[in-house]
Amino acid sequence: TIRRALIGDAIRDLTIKELEVFSATLERALTEGACGLSTGLSFAHAQQVPYAEIKRLAQIVLRKQGFYATHLRNEYEEIARATNEAITLSKDLGIQTLISHFRPFIGYENQFEKALELVTKAYPNTPIYFENYPYDTSIAPIYTLLPTWVKNGNLETMLDHIKTPSTRDHILEVLPTIE
């Protein structure tokens, strides 16, 4: 929420000044009673957030004795790599880290098992935890199926891409086939 308030719907790295504003806003929120930082790395506008940015913000949270919660960057074919990123941050900083909605998806069970094994091996030496999403159905905005370059911008920009015939044709070519 803070990041999007700073740069809107752009998908890009923060400038040094923007990161300073984010850091100051986070520090103030923690001083006023916030208990930590959460990231939605699986969502379109946060998938490209660099690890260094997250680590810098998590250091602020750690100084204020807070915790870090994250939605993994990828819950499908790259779930093990995304899980390892959360474990690495937790291990590097010693910050309590919660993986939100840690769950297997049909067709990606093997990848989920590998990710679960990473968490199991890391704990208890690393303060990494997860909460389970106990439902057999999940909801996500339809735009999450679009390629990243289409999601760069606001909803109106996405709709413009879809309405432009040549762009729409290219989007349809690269969309995964749902069986």
Side-chain angles (χ1 to χ4, degrees):
T1 303
I2 297 170
R3 194 174 204 281
R4 285 200 63 193
L6 289 170
I7 65 171
D9 293 317
I11 298 176
R12 64 170 175 80
D13 290 357
L14 296 177
T15 65
I16 292 170
K17 184 65 177 166
E18 289 165 340
L19 188 52
E20 289 171 359
V21 171
F22 194 150
S23 297
T25 304
L26 176 60
E27 179 126 21
R28 185 173 59 250
L30 292 162
T31 300
E32 293 175 354
C35 54
L37 170 71
S38 67
T39 55
L41 301 176
S42 61
F43 300 105
H45 295 90
Q47 284 180 336
Q48 305 302 318
V49 172
Y51 177 81
E53 178 183 317
I54 298 165
K55 187 174 181 180
R56 177 175 171 173
L57 297 169
Q59 288 169 327
I60 295 167
V61 173
L62 183 62
R63 279 197 313 270
K64 295 289 191 173
Q65 300 177 331
F67 70 92
Y68 172 63
T70 187
H71 285 84
L72 298 173
R73 282 187 204 275
N74 188 303
E75 297 175 293
Y76 306 100
E77 68 280 346
E78 296 292 326
I79 190 171
R81 187 168 62 88
T83 300
N84 195 54
E85 178 183 46
I87 292 168
T88 299
L89 182 73
S90 183
K91 188 180 293 185
D92 284 354
L93 299 180
I95 190 169
Q96 290 191 50
T97 301
L98 173 72
I99 299 172
S100 298
H101 307 315
F102 195 56
R103 65 206 175 214
F105 281 95
I106 294 173
Y108 300 96
E109 295 89 347
N110 290 338
Q111 293 86 340
F112 177 79
E113 286 179 20
K114 290 174 188 171
L116 183 58
E117 187 176 314
L118 289 171
V119 173
T120 302
K121 285 182 179 178
Y123 184 84
N125 298 323
T126 302
I128 185 84
Y129 309 93
F130 65 87
E131 52 91 354
N132 187 269
Y133 187 89
Y135 305 103
D136 61 359
T137 312
S138 183
I139 269 185
I142 190 101
Y143 75 79
T144 61
L145 300 173
L146 295 171
T148 302
W149 60 270
V150 177
K151 296 183 275 192
N152 193 357
N154 59 22
L155 185 58
E156 290 75 25
T157 303
M158 285 186 243
L159 290 173
D160 286 343
H161 285 313
I162 293 168
K163 289 178 183 177
T164 304
S166 61
T167 308
R168 181 179 55 245
D169 291 345
H170 183 62
I171 292 168
L172 291 172
E173 289 172 10
V174 299
L175 277 178
T177 305
I178 300 173
E179 297 179 15

